[in-house]
Amino acid sequence: MTAATAPVDPSHAFADFLACLGEADEYGAIEVATGLLDAGVPAERVLLDLVVPAQIEVGERWARNEWSVAQEHAATHISERVVAAIAGYADPHPTRGRIVVACMDGEWHALPPRLVAEVLRLRGWQVTFLGASVPAAHLVSYLHRHDAYAVALACALPMRLPYAHRMIEACRRSDVPVVVGGRGFGVDGRWARRLGVAWAADAPGAADLVADERALRRVPLADLSHLADHEYAGLVKRRSELIDSAVAELRARVPSVEDYTSAQWDATVGDLGYIVDSLAAAVYVDDPVLFTDFVAWLVTILASRGVPDTAVASTLGHYGHALRDFPRAGRFVALGAAATVAPGGVRH
């Protein structure tokens, strides 16, 4: 695809750019982006007003089962190449300290923090981007060897919050201020506040925050006194047991699952594990919204693939019975089961 003369407003190029992503046309996508730069659009606007909304649409098309995993991966790879092309075109020269940007351990959504890294670089910071799934020990070792002004950590999945908290604390013990971002901390940053860490809603917000050292270090204390009931530790300990029992219950309740392919079984067991992990994370931050939001999302994803929401409801019923000695977790599971009911109280 050859891009037409680039309009000055990035939103006007959105359809052409998204079409390039859909066709896996890397060079066309880069041409659309660099055409905007040639027309005088600032690099930050191209990143935030073209690449970001297009990538959001890519995720939504996957969620609606309009695009396959392969299409989503191809589009994301091209977006990463576009970001690299924009960065090379802008070629900013650092005048400020070093910011280390990384994904939490176990977090593989690397494009959002890469966008944050580029916005920070455009604003004069020397940025080291460590990429996806950085183990806490390796991050801390890097911070000890390099003089970092701050570290920016990304988390897209709320179920990873307990691991995120441990990583945040490890950075703090190195006396490096931390700013976090990503949907994993809630759209309003509520779980970042619960963990006692500075949060930014987007890349410009992160850039503004790291530029204000007092604000960066002025964070509330973590509020995790509820962990004294040991429910979170108990859920983590029983994770494998819960998944195995859910699989056994599914085999007994739905004999046709014996005809599942290995890929279908992998997906099913994965979903059963995600339910437990999301429940554990909700218990960790003591907020049922984390779990009910996940359940509602999972029901929507499965429905787009032909799986009725009763399948999730039945699994939650099984988990609820298995966790009858876990008061908080049991209450969260009950609320999650209610979230599987469509508006009007009718199940699909």
Side-chain angles (χ1 to χ4, degrees):
M1 171 180 288
T2 300
T5 302
V8 175
D9 186 346
S11 66
H12 294 164
F14 179 81
D16 286 343
F17 186 73
L18 190 62
C20 291
L21 296 183
E23 296 167 12
D25 181 1
E26 178 180 327
Y27 297 107
I30 291 174
E31 187 176 352
V32 171
T34 55
L36 288 167
L37 296 171
D38 287 336
V41 180
E44 183 171 323
R45 281 197 64 202
V46 179
L47 290 171
L48 301 179
D49 297 343
L50 181 70
V51 179
V52 169
Q55 197 59 31
I56 290 172
E57 177 62 23
V58 168
E60 290 178 349
R61 292 188 179 191
W62 170 81
R64 296 192 298 264
N65 204 27
E66 296 173 7
W67 281 13
S68 68
V69 171
Q71 287 175 293
E72 184 270 332
H73 283 188
T76 300
H77 169 73
I78 291 171
S79 290
E80 291 171 344
R81 297 284 291 169
V82 169
V83 172
I86 294 170
Y89 186 104
D91 192 26
H93 298 287
T95 58
R96 309 167 89 171
R98 182 190 300 274
I99 308 293
V100 177
V101 181
C103 289
M104 302 290 183
D105 193 2
E107 175 59 71
W108 297 96
H109 297 80
L111 182 56
R114 173 69 190 279
L115 287 161
V116 172
E118 295 310 328
V119 169
L120 289 168
R121 190 173 283 117
L122 288 168
R123 296 198 182 187
W125 293 97
Q126 181 181 355
V127 179
T128 301
F129 179 60
L130 300 183
S133 191
V134 180
H138 291 256
L139 174 60
V140 170
S141 175
Y142 188 89
L143 295 176
H144 281 314
R145 296 203 323 267
H146 300 275
D147 185 20
Y149 173 82
V151 59
L153 300 175
C155 180
L157 303 175
M159 69 180 70
R160 303 298 301 175
L161 283 177
Y163 304 91
H165 187 219
R166 289 195 281 272
M167 199 163 184
I168 291 164
E169 291 303 306
C171 292
R172 281 180 172 159
R173 286 193 291 272
S174 299
D175 196 32
V176 179
V178 182
V179 58
V180 300
R183 294 184 179 182
F185 292 97
V187 294
D188 57 358
R190 66 178 63 185
W191 300 316
R193 291 190 292 275
R194 179 57 59 90
L195 298 180
V197 63
W199 171 82
D202 51 26
D208 291 343
L209 186 56
V210 297
D212 185 347
E213 184 174 3
R214 292 181 63 184
L216 187 60
R217 291 184 178 273
R218 188 175 61 246
V219 295
L221 296 176
D223 180 14
L224 298 171
S225 58
H226 52 273
L227 293 178
D229 65 11
H230 302 298
E231 284 203 26
Y232 170 74
L235 282 170
V236 172
K237 184 176 181 179
R238 292 186 58 183
R239 183 181 188 274
S240 295
E241 173 194 333
L242 288 167
I243 295 171
D244 290 345
S245 66
V247 168
E249 190 271 341
L250 181 62
R251 289 181 185 275
R253 178 170 49 82
V254 187
S256 61
V257 300
E258 298 299 340
D259 298 325
Y260 275 13
T261 64
S262 58
Q264 287 175 311
W265 269 119
D266 287 344
T268 299
V269 174
D271 288 341
L272 295 173
Y274 294 149
I275 292 172
V276 176
D277 293 341
S278 293
L279 176 61
V283 168
Y284 192 89
V285 297
D286 196 32
D287 189 348
V289 171
L290 189 157
F291 186 63
T292 56
D293 281 356
F294 169 77
V295 169
W297 175 85
L298 181 61
V299 166
T300 300
I301 295 297
L302 294 179
S304 71
R305 290 148 175 80
V307 179
D309 54 18
T310 51
V312 177
S314 297
T315 295
L316 293 179
H318 171 78
Y319 282 155
H321 179 74
L323 295 171
R324 56 191 178 276
D325 294 331
F326 290 65
R328 281 197 297 132
R331 180 168 60 87
F332 292 2
V333 168
L335 291 170
T340 66
V341 180
V346 179
R347 293 189 186 279
H348 296 292

